[in-house]
Amino acid sequence: MAKKPTPPKPKSKSSRSNLRADVREYISHQKNGTFNYKQVSYAIGADTAASQRCVAMILAEMAYDGDLIEVSPGKYKAPQRSNVVTGTFVRRSNGKNSVVTDTDSESIFVAERNSMHALNGDRVRIFVSAARRGIEPEAEVIEIIEKKDQTFIGTIRVERQFAYLQTDSKFLATDIIIPRAKLKGATTGQKAIVKITSWPDDAKNPIGEVVDVLGLTGDNTAEMHAILAEFGLPYRYPESVDKAAQKIGAGITEEEIAKREDMRGVTTFTIDPKDAKDFDDALSIRTLPNGNFEVGVHIADVTHYVRPDSVLDKEAQKRATSVYLVDRVVPMLPEHLSNGICSLRPDEEKLTFSCIFEMDAQAKVKSYRIGRTVIKSDRRFTYEEAQQVIETGVGDFADEILTLDSLAKQLRKERYENGSVEFDRCEVRFDIDEAGHPVSVYFKESKDANKLIEEFMLLANKTVAKAIGCPPNHRTPKAFVYRIHDMPDPGKLADLSKIARTFGYKVKDTGSAREVNRSINRMLADVKGRGEENFLSTLAIRSMAKAVYSTTNVGHYGLGFEYYTHFTSPIRRYPDMMVHRLLERYLAGGRSVNQEKLEDQCKHSSDMEQLASNAERASIKYKQVEFMADRIGQVYDGVISGVTEWGLYVELSENMCEGLVPMRDLADDYYDFDDKNYCLVGRRRGVRYRLGDEVKVKIARASLEKKQLDFVLVDDFGRPDEDCMGRNVGVRQALAGKQGRNDSGGKRSRSKR
């Protein structure tokens, strides 16, 4: 392996000319590596705020002059790229196609005439035009290396000679022509899935064939299946998988029980949402002779029934997760398993994998054991029923629930003291009628009963991860599945710290994870009920990285845990099944599995989790639009939840439905997008619309096809915004901005967690 070049030695002080020379020297060693001003400053010894600002300015000037490439805001690389590179094609329905290069993830514009009709996700080879000062580089596709297997969803229209699909996709601007012989029985007005079979060079439209007919456009089931198909997620089980599941019996024989710790005589119960059908975790508790408590976290032993490389296992691995849409669950495992044999239903003997703790009254873990068990749940509680017991002290198993609640609160307190970030979550839910139409909105809030379960699941996950990841006597850990959460993006954290200071709050952007997270928690607590709550809490969430699965353990930053995994939900998550199998192997003294193969499975699970999350959000968005379509013309209070160059996103305070105030409808002025301060600023009047501002809007349009709500700003009397600029909250923000404060008129706003 070639030896990396040695960067220049740090210097304590430099003039601007010397700084520029030091910056250029640093860049000369980077080859294709990317860097930001903080990395450069650290390397050259620019250790004062003034010199670091100077470094940032030098980098920006070099990028403007074409001496550097700004691959993303504040992130640069040296322009050493060959004219011919490979990358992934990104197609957009607005014509702004691009290619993300393999070498540095730079996004380069591709005009439609130069696209070779490449589709979104295709692997391509491109020729990049020479960069000229002040002009963004362009690329031309010269070869499609690998076509991505993909389909498009939309509404079928059948004419006399041919048919076509009006797509719902943001990745394709044109309709797809379908020969009548390739309709698969589809008729006008039906929702269908279509794949492109060809796209001649001289043709404006691609040609395709129907893969599946989902039902009539607007039908609830058809629309939910369309959302799943949009993200490449399955909406039905193969017949062979269902048949394989039906053949499996509970298999709780005396021989099997003899291999396990028998916990059937210990008080055990489940606490789940009222509409849950798959109960994959249960808690048991009893008092030990020494006065301590034995708390068992019992998890459905799914891998006892789903064997490696079986038809069921391959389907579960492919899906990787259950998908939770607004009105349904698409389970990872067939319902015979997920809602039947594996579900920890009351008064039924069940096979489990358990983490059992001995804890004192202060919730200190004195010892633990991990192993296979058999249990029998005494009762199924809903969160509401358990919450009633916690609040009144009366009800079934009141002593046990109150003891667990006390222990959970102490675990929670210690977790936050150790640096776990405290984001309160409030989720929107819909009451759906028989036709699937949303009739009302309610909010799902996390109360003590939810937090009780959360704390013991966190404890079990952390304990299992540490048991494998930190073996005794400094032995090398065996390959394992970790749930990791990396450090926040330094730039976003610095932005949060800077903006929080303008409101009088101190957020650390340097120091240990514990110190930074404690400062964020203090800020989140202090902003409760204030006008800036939504703005600052949103920025705090956006500064965080995404949690993923990996065999490389970097800890879980958000939780403040050095070791963490997912062990507690194998009915709905494949990584939990992987963890169960690894536990079984390693507890029996087995050798480490192949880490590279395990990492591939981790990446697939992370990717599928993200797709499932996107589908869930899309289903919520669809129902929000459907719900608000009945309320066109009505006026609501809201909070600006997003600021972009194309307009303002506003979340309604009453029901958390989100819509767009398009830039074209802000007709009173010409607005510039200030991405550093998350606001739009009017050129003539200086009116400022900022993330977190309270506004009043009227519902203007609702497009189910685009899953989009359009709002217009109005005043307190429901008049269009341009008639009342002097009274608009944006004016108050412009005035308040001069003092570095957010004057929201003293109103409390509901923030989205």
Side-chain angles (χ1 to χ4, degrees), residues 657-719:
C657 292
E658 187 179 62
L660 176 70
V661 178
M663 188 74 85
R664 65 176 180 273
D665 289 345
L666 295 173
D668 63 288
D669 204 343
Y670 184 91
Y671 286 87
D672 292 311
F673 173 47
D674 181 352
D675 60 332
K676 296 293 185 185
N677 294 297
Y678 303 92
C679 63
L680 295 180
V681 183
R683 289 186 180 179
R684 287 191 298 117
R685 301 180 179 180
V687 175
R688 178 175 301 186
Y689 294 102
R690 190 177 188 180
L691 191 70
D693 285 356
E694 294 179 344
V695 293
K696 196 177 290 287
V697 296
K698 181 183 289 186
I699 314 303
R701 294 171 290 274
S703 170
L704 283 170
E705 292 78 18
K706 296 180 180 179
K707 304 182 187 71
Q708 181 173 308
L709 287 171
D710 280 356
F711 299 156
V712 292
L713 293 171
V714 297
D715 70 353
D716 291 338
F717 305 99
R719 297 177 301 188

Side-chain angles (χ1 to χ4, degrees), residues 467-524:
I468 304 302
C470 186
N473 303 321
H474 304 289
R475 287 181 296 185
T476 301
K478 296 174 181 177
F480 198 59
V481 176
Y482 298 97
R483 179 69 168 177
I484 63 169
H485 185 227
D486 212 342
M487 297 278 288
D489 178 88
K492 291 181 180 178
L493 195 57
D495 287 345
L496 171 63
S497 178
K498 176 184 173 184
I499 292 172
R501 278 199 303 272
T502 68
F503 292 96
Y505 306 107
K506 186 176 180 180
V507 173
K508 293 178 69 68
D509 60 346
T510 58
S512 69
R514 180 183 298 187
E515 291 170 336
V516 172
N517 288 359
R518 280 179 173 175
S519 72
I520 292 174
N521 284 341
R522 279 195 299 272
M523 185 267 290
L524 292 172

Side-chain angles (χ1 to χ4, degrees), residues 137-188:
E138 284 193 31
E140 178 183 358
V141 177
I142 56 177
E143 182 186 0
I144 298 177
I145 303 169
E146 180 183 348
K147 283 190 168 292
K148 182 183 177 184
D149 186 23
Q150 58 187 303
T151 55
F152 295 89
I153 297 94
T155 301
I156 293 289
R157 302 294 175 194
V158 181
E159 306 292 346
R160 178 170 296 182
Q161 300 296 331
F162 65 95
Y164 60 94
L165 183 84
Q166 291 180 320
T167 67
D168 300 339
S169 176
K170 62 184 179 182
F171 298 120
L172 191 66
T174 61
D175 298 333
I176 301 173
I177 305 299
I178 305 170
R180 291 179 65 95
K182 300 292 185 179
L183 278 171
K184 208 173 182 179
T187 58
T188 294

Side-chain angles (χ1 to χ4, degrees), residues 2 24 26 62 91 129 139 201 211 238 258 345 355 370 452 562 622 625 659 666 682 707 739 746:
R24 288 187 178 277
Y26 172 85
M62 291 178 71
R91 174 172 286 279
S129 62
D201 292 341
V211 175
R345 299 184 297 197
C355 204
I370 302 170
L452 183 162
E562 190 176 354
Y622 184 89
V625 175
L666 295 173
K707 304 182 187 71
Q739 303 171 3

